[in-house]
Each structure stands twice: as structure tokens, then as C-alpha cells.
Amino acid sequence: MEQLMRDFFLFLSKNRALTKLAKRYGLRFGASRFVAGETIELATRVIQDLNKQGLLVTIDYLGEFVDNEKEANEMADNSILAIETIGREKLQSQLSLKMTSMGLDISDNVVLHNMRRILEAAKKNDVFVTIDMEDYSRAQKTLDIFKKLKREYENVGTVIQAYLYRTEKDIKELNEYQPNLRLVKGAYKESPEVAFPVKRDVDENFKKIIKMHMLNGNYTAVATHDDAIIEYTKQLAIEHRINNAQFEFQMLYGIRPEKQIELVEEGYKMRVYVPYGTDWYGYFMRRLAERPANVAFVLKGMFKK
Ligand code: FDA
């Protein structure tokens, strides 16, 4: 049943008509639990509040189905606006983005032009940029572009997904770049030909790559809400005398906020992924797919409005 619901929400997340409709009607159905607001001003207030509590942030301007150059350029403009706001308001925040929003599916020229514009602005404002990882069909291209950009810019990192069979090899190959990587379980629906279908195997692979990347001496962001993985990371750091400055935990805005504060109080770096913008629908559906228990919360939200 749970798997059916996951598949259903992932299916809904890809619906263009609903995405368009949602944009027109503004944050609904309890989406504001996971999305900071529709404008950079609203997101800034949320970030300031999180920073006051000792939480670091990475901000993401949401955008789905970007398939022409004009839209990709606008997405990049909005990311640059976010970077300039971080600099001006002195927010403790990085930036995250999806390369499909910057033109990955349009052409190499478009995506590289936009990424370089963003990374220049980020360099000027001392902001670190993480390239989110999308579905398997884009993994190789994303890594190729990441490597190219990493040779030109210091302030860029990307994401590696534990559910893919290729991941261990990617971690090994990326080591020569000494990259700052965010490690995650993986959020997309992938075929068993490319990804571990059983959760237990994903969790084991997650631990394996955390250990590899941390022991390679590279900065590691462990992005999870899973207590077992968090405990594993803490123990690994103690056992191998890895300083708390060498790694951080990351969670999504609105998920396990008490745990986020608990980690800060224990002296760990804790970064919250804060999405904002009018294109909230796909992101919201993916969060529901991850944890169908959230649906009860959404239903309550629907009846309140
Ligand atoms: P999982 O979903 O297995 O949950 C483990 C446990 O965590 C649960 O059993 C429960 O105990 C607890 N838990 C989870 N949700 C909870 C909730 N709402 N309330 C209370 N407890 C809860 N993916 C991707 O493919 N590309 C990317 O670029 C990114 N980027 C990214 C950034 C950040 C900061 C995060 C946190 C995650 C991502 N992801 C991602 C998503 C990631 O791949 C994954 O889908 C989700 O983090 C869910 O997996 P968990 O590791 O949290 O464990």
C-alpha cells in the first residue's frame, strides 16, 4: 500500500497541467510546511529565523519542466538574486539548484553559460553552490558538467545518491577533485537495473559511501532524517577522530525540526534545505511520496483552507 502511494505521488509530481495550475493558485494544502514562501523576501525571513536558532541553510529557487532557453535564463537570474540576497543580508546560507532548471536538457552551451553566471555571482558573494542530483538518466551528464565546473571554481559541490549501483565507483572517481559532496539515499523512482530495490541495501550502501568519502578526507554533508544513519556518522567521526568541522548534517525544511535543533545543541553543523518560489507543486508531491504519513497532515490542511 505504502509503495502504491509513493508511486502515485511520484506520478503526480510529474504532471505538467497540475504544476501550472498550482503556480496560479499559490501555496496550498499545507505545502507551506515544506516551502518557505513564494518570494525571496519571505524566504529571507525564514532563513533569518533558522540562523537565529544556530541552523545553517541552503536555499533553492524551485522550478520544474524548464524546457526553453528563456525560462532557463530566468531561473538562473532568480538564483543570482538569491545569492545577492544572501550576500547583502549576511545570511548563513548556501545555494542549491537543479541543472535541468538551468538548461541541462536544452544544450550544453545554455547550461554552462547559466552555471558560470551563477558561480561568478556566488564567488563574489562568498556563497557555496550545490548541484542537486536528479534522475538516473541525467547522472552522468550532471557529473561531467560538475567536474568541468569544479576545475574552474572552488565553490561548487554536488550530490551522490546511495541507491545507485554506480555510486561507489563515482565516489572513487571524484576523489581526485577533493569535492564537497552531499550524500543522500536518492529520491527518484529508478529501475532495479540501476538502483538497489531494497531499502536495507540502500542504507548499507549509504553507510559505505559516507565512510569512503569521510576517510578520504573530503568534506561530507550527510543529508538524511534517518536516526540510524546519523548515529552511524557520529560514531564514525569519533572512531576516526574526524573533526566536526569536516562534516555536517542536512535535513529538509519542515522535517524533524526538533532533531535539527538537537544536533546543533550537540555541537554538530546542521544545514536546512529551504525551497521557495511559485513552482512548489512537484517538490511538495515528492515529499509526500517519501513519507505517505505526511498525507494525513495535508488532508487536515485541505480542510482548513
Ligand atoms: P528515509 O526516508 O528512509 O527515512 C528514514 C527515517 O527518517 C524514517 O524511518 C523516520 O524515522 C525518519 N523520518 C523521515 N521523514 C520523517 C518525517 N517527516 N518526520 C519524522 N521522521 C521522519 N535526493 C536526490 O535524489 N537528489 C538530491 O539532490 C537530494 N537532495 C537532498 C538534500 C537534502 C538536504 C535532503 C535531506 C535530502 C535530499 N534528497 C535528495 C532526498 C533524499 O534522497 C531522500 O529521498 C530523503 O532524504 C529521504 O531519505 P532519508 O535519508 O531521510 O531516509
Side-chain angles (χ1 to χ4, degrees):
M1 180 62 188
E2 195 159 311
Q3 190 55 47
L4 266 179
M5 285 186 71
R6 278 182 214 282
D7 292 351
F8 176 63
F9 284 112
L10 285 177
F11 169 77
L12 284 182
S13 76
K14 292 183 192 142
N15 189 300
R16 275 177 191 247
L18 289 175
T19 299
K20 254 193 183 161
L21 201 69
K23 250 187 184 176
R24 223 184 300 148
Y25 288 100
L27 284 182
R28 294 280 161 123
F29 311 133
S32 55
R33 178 183 164 187
F34 302 109
V35 178
E38 292 186 277
T39 62
I40 185 69
E41 288 76 20
L42 289 171
T44 300
R45 271 188 240 155
V46 167
I47 296 171
Q48 283 166 335
D49 189 47
L50 293 167
N51 285 169
K52 266 191 215 140
Q53 300 175 65
L55 295 159
L56 306 167
V57 166
T58 182
I59 188 177
D60 169 37
Y61 180 70
L62 294 167
E64 312 265 336
F65 303 116
V66 173
D67 48 20
N68 65 66
E69 191 172 342
K70 183 171 168 282
E71 277 175 8
N73 294 343
E74 282 168 8
M75 284 298 297
D77 291 344
N78 274 294
S79 291
I80 290 169
L81 180 68
I83 288 168
E84 289 169 350
T85 306
I86 293 171
R88 192 182 59 247
E89 302 290 331
K90 302 194 173 22
L91 304 174
Q92 295 279 340
S93 180
Q94 303 182 344
L95 180 92
S96 289
L97 56 80
K98 293 195 172 36
M99 282 208 296
T100 47
S101 301
M102 305 303 148
L104 186 73
D105 295 344
I106 303 168
S107 79
D108 283 6
N109 276 349
V110 173
V111 72
L112 279 169
H113 172 69
N114 278 329
M115 286 304 297
R116 289 189 177 116
R117 286 204 295 139
I118 290 168
L119 288 168
E120 279 301 325
K123 193 166 140 188
K124 218 186 272 171
N125 288 279
D126 199 17
V127 173
F128 188 83
V129 177
T130 299
I131 301 168
D132 287 352
M133 188 57 77
E134 302 181 64
D135 61 305
Y136 178 78
S137 69
R138 294 172 174 111
Q140 187 60 50
K141 206 165 173 196
T142 302
L143 289 179
D144 290 343
I145 294 181
F146 164 69
K147 287 177 191 169
K148 194 188 256 283
L149 293 169
K150 182 74 173 89
R151 284 185 216 115
E152 300 170 33
Y153 298 92
E154 264 303 307
N155 56 332
V156 61
T158 190
V159 178
I160 291 290
Q161 298 153 320
Y163 64 9
L164 297 183
Y165 301 135
R166 59 174 287 165
T167 281
E168 206 181 322
K169 191 165 160 274
D170 287 336
I171 292 273
K172 277 189 197 141
E173 284 179 10
L174 285 169
N175 191 33
E176 68 173 283
Y177 295 83
Q178 297 187 301
N180 172 337
L181 292 181
R182 175 195 301 153
L183 307 180
V184 300
K185 289 192 187 182
Y188 296 81
K189 185 164 172 50
E190 302 293 1
S191 127
E193 277 167 31
V194 301
F196 294 103
V198 178
K199 184 175 155 37
R200 202 181 47 240
D201 295 332
V202 177
D203 291 355
E204 281 316 303
N205 204 39
F206 199 5
K207 290 181 190 164
K208 196 182 208 175
I209 60 168
I210 291 170
K211 187 171 184 179
M212 279 173 73
H213 197 59
M214 279 176 65
L215 296 192
N216 279 341
N218 296 318
Y219 192 89
T220 309
V222 178
T224 186
H225 313 97
D226 188 338
D227 282 333
I229 302 288
I230 293 169
E231 273 316 303
Y232 173 81
T233 308
K234 288 182 185 173
Q235 287 311 317
L236 189 74
I238 293 168
E239 213 177 289
H240 295 274
R241 296 170 189 270
I242 299 169
N243 194 289
N244 284 7
Q246 263 301 104
F247 68 98
E248 66 184 46
F249 293 107
Q250 297 188 353
M251 290 190 201
L252 302 177
Y253 177 64
I255 300 187
R256 305 202 70 192
E258 309 82 17
K259 183 73 186 180
Q260 296 173 11
I261 296 293
E262 193 184 304
L263 287 166
V264 172
E265 286 171 355
E266 287 173 24
Y268 294 103
K269 282 200 268 177
M270 173 71 230
R271 191 175 304 279
V272 185
Y273 187 107
V274 175
Y276 76 101
T278 53
D279 218 348
W280 53 272
Y281 169 82
Y283 177 86
F284 182 45
M285 289 300 132
R286 287 194 291 278
R287 299 294 76 81
L288 295 183
E290 260 161 24
R291 192 170 163 85
N294 283 331
V295 175
F297 172 86
V298 170
L299 288 174
K300 272 191 228 153
M302 279 171 89
F303 289 113
K304 266 194 221 149
K305 299 232 162 167

